[in-house]
Structure formats: C-alpha cells, structure tokens
Amino acid sequence: MEFKPSPGTELTLRTLAMPADANPAGDIFGGWVMSQMDLAAFVRANDIAKGRTVTVAVHEIVFKKPVKIGDTLCVYTSVEKVGRTSITLRVEAWTRRHYEQSREKVTDAVFVMVAVDDEGKPRQVPSGGTTAAQAAE
C-alpha cells in the first residue's frame, strides 16, 4: 500500500514494537496498538485543550494489517471537531516494516476526548467552537 496518511494529519507518536508486546506468533497485540493510538489522541488533545483531557469514546477500530516485532508504529492525528468541552480526532496507525521502507496502514478510528479540570470535571476548551482547520493551526 502506498504511504498516504489522510490529508491534514500530523505525526503525533512514533514507537517501536517490541517482543514484550507480541503474541507467540510475533504479532503485536491489538490492545497495544490501541493504547498507542490513545496516547497520540491524548497528546494532540492536550495541546489543543491547553491542559488535561480524557478519552470518552473510541469509534470502531478494525485491524487491517498486523504489526510485527521490530516494526515502527507511526500514529497520525487530525482534528475533526472542537466543541465546547470535547475534541474529536481521527487517529491513523501506520507501520514501517522492520528493515524495509514500505509503510502500511494498520487501522484508524475516531477518538473523542474531553477537557477536564483538576477534579476530573469537564471544562471548556480554550479554543472551543473553532473549526478543525482553526484548531490545527
């Protein structure tokens, strides 16, 4: 597959898949991939919210390709919507195969993050109500 993340995405997280994250066949557990996507959503949402955010929803993750030990997992994010307290992100996971230059899309999903205060209660996103293009700037 040709390497083409969706337009408007930015590389948010890149990490190496290690043996401790794999099953006996050498495939990386889907839960590990999902946790890396959640970390990327957290990083991007915190930047936009200028503070703490939490994951409140993830919409459908379908694993299209396996991640293998030694692959580099690259996670891209794009802002779909910034609401009063929430940030909706499209998150894509791509793999760069070990010792190769080929890249393949592993999965994608929509993550909904909510800005919270020190007590864990929803708070307004400083740029609340902006469009995705404005939030990406």
Side-chain angles (χ1 to χ4, degrees):
M1 173 180 260
E2 185 179 342
F3 174 63
K4 280 190 161 185
S6 297
T9 62
E10 74 176 40
L11 179 62
T12 310
L13 182 80
R14 185 168 56 183
T15 191
L16 185 64
M18 299 295 286
D21 306 313
N23 64 26
D27 294 325
I28 300 300
F29 289 112
W32 181 84
V33 174
M34 184 176 174
S35 72
Q36 301 309 305
M37 294 170 72
D38 194 29
L39 285 170
F42 173 80
V43 167
R44 186 78 185 267
N46 284 3
D47 285 347
I48 294 164
K50 298 181 181 21
R52 181 179 167 206
T53 61
V54 295
T55 307
V56 296
V58 179
H59 299 282
E60 194 174 53
I61 293 181
V62 176
F63 295 96
K64 298 167 177 90
K65 301 274 184 178
V67 177
K68 299 287 189 178
I69 294 170
D71 288 352
T72 300
L73 186 73
C74 302
V75 184
Y76 295 82
T77 59
S78 61
V79 180
E80 289 197 342
K81 179 183 173 189
V82 178
R84 193 177 71 73
T85 63
S86 67
I87 301 162
T88 303
L89 302 164
R90 169 147 306 274
V91 181
E92 296 182 6
W94 289 72
T95 187
R96 188 180 76 208
R97 299 297 177 191
H98 187 56
Y99 296 126
E100 296 177 18
Q101 292 304 308
S102 67
R103 294 173 190 255
E104 297 178 305
K105 188 175 183 180
V106 175
T107 189
D108 61 2
V110 173
F111 281 67
V112 180
M113 311 296 287
V114 169
V116 295
D117 62 19
D118 291 339
E119 296 175 6
K121 296 182 180 169
R123 66 172 175 83
Q124 187 165 343
V125 175
S127 59
T130 62
T131 65
Q134 291 169 325
E137 294 178 350

